[in-house]
C-alpha cells in the first residue's frame, strides 16, 4: 500500500515538474517601488540572519503576489533555516507548482540542507531527474 501511494505521489510530482518546465514563469517585470523596497527588506533580513523577520515579510509579499516563484522558494529557504522542515518542504513543492525549475540550484543550495532526506524533497529531485531524462530522448 505504501509503495502504491509513493508511486502515485512520485507520478504526481513528475507531472508537476514537467508542467513547470513547460511553463517556466520566472520573470515578473514591472515591479513598483514598494515591491522593490519589500524585496530589499527581505534580502536584508536574510543577510542579517533574521530568518523569522524575512519569513514574515515573505508571507506579506505572497499575500499580494501568491505565485511569485522566487519568493515562494525564498520562503522555503527561510523555513529551512528556522528548522521548520515540513513547512520548508511544503513551500518548496508550492514553488515547483508555481513554476520553479532551477533544480540544479536547489540541489546545491545550502539553505535546504535540513530537508535533503525529506520525502517531498526526494520526490521533487526524482521527478526533476525523470523529466530531464525524458526530455533528452
Amino acid at each position: 500500500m505504501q509503495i502504491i501511494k509513493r508511486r502515485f505521489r512520485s507520478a504526481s510530482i513528475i507531472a508537476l515538474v514537467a508542467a513547470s518546465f513547460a511553463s517556466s514563469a520566472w520573470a515578473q517585470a514591472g515591479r513598483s517601488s514598494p515591491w522593490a523596497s519589500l524585496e530589499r527588506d527581505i534580502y536584508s533580513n536574510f543577510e542579517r540572519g533574521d530568518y523569522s523577520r524575512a519569513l514574515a515579510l515573505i508571507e506579506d509579499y505572497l499575500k499580494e503576489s501568491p505565485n511569485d516563484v522566487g519568493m515562494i522558494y525564498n520562503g522555503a529557504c527561510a523555513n529551512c533555516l528556522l528548522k521548520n522542515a515540513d513547512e520548508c518542504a511544503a513551500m518548496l513543492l508550492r514553488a515547483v507548482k508555481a513554476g520553479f525549475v532551477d533544480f540544479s540550484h536547489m540541489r546545491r543550495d545550502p539553505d535546504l540542507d535540513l530537508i535533503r532526506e525529506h520525502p517531498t524533497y526526494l520526490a521533487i529531485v526524482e521527478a526533476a531527474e525523470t523529466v530531464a531524462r525524458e526530455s533528452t530522448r
Side-chain angles (χ1 to χ4, degrees):
M1 180 71 156
Q2 207 173 40
I3 292 172
I4 293 171
K5 285 182 182 177
R6 185 172 180 211
R7 285 187 182 158
F8 177 74
R9 181 181 173 113
S10 293
S12 298
I13 292 177
I14 288 170
L16 208 99
V17 170
S20 294
F21 271 115
S23 65
S24 178
W26 271 94
Q28 288 195 7
R31 287 276 188 224
S32 64
S33 179
W35 285 104
S37 176
L38 182 54
E39 287 176 359
R40 280 192 303 275
D41 288 346
I42 290 166
Y43 296 123
S44 175
N45 280 286
F46 265 105
E47 288 173 7
R48 286 195 309 271
D50 190 350
Y51 308 121
S52 293
R53 179 71 180 139
L55 183 58
L57 292 171
I58 289 167
E59 289 168 352
D60 288 345
Y61 187 103
L62 291 173
K63 286 176 188 169
E64 297 300 321
S65 187
N67 296 315
D68 186 301
V69 175
M71 217 38 83
I72 298 168
Y73 182 87
N74 289 337
C77 291
N79 270 299
C80 234
L81 293 166
L82 289 167
K83 310 291 188 223
N84 302 328
D86 290 336
E87 291 87 348
C88 172
M91 282 201 89
L92 188 59
L93 183 58
R94 180 179 166 194
V96 171
K97 288 178 180 181
F100 179 84
V101 295
D102 194 353
F103 301 107
S104 176
H105 172 77
M106 181 189 79
R107 285 186 199 108
R108 293 185 321 272
D109 191 340
D111 291 350
L112 300 177
D113 285 348
L114 178 69
I115 63 163
R116 298 288 180 213
E117 300 302 318
H118 194 284
T120 301
Y121 179 87
L122 294 172
I124 291 169
V125 169
E126 180 183 337
E129 289 171 354
T130 299
V131 169
R133 271 193 311 276
E134 290 178 2
S135 69
T136 60
R137 290 183 186 177

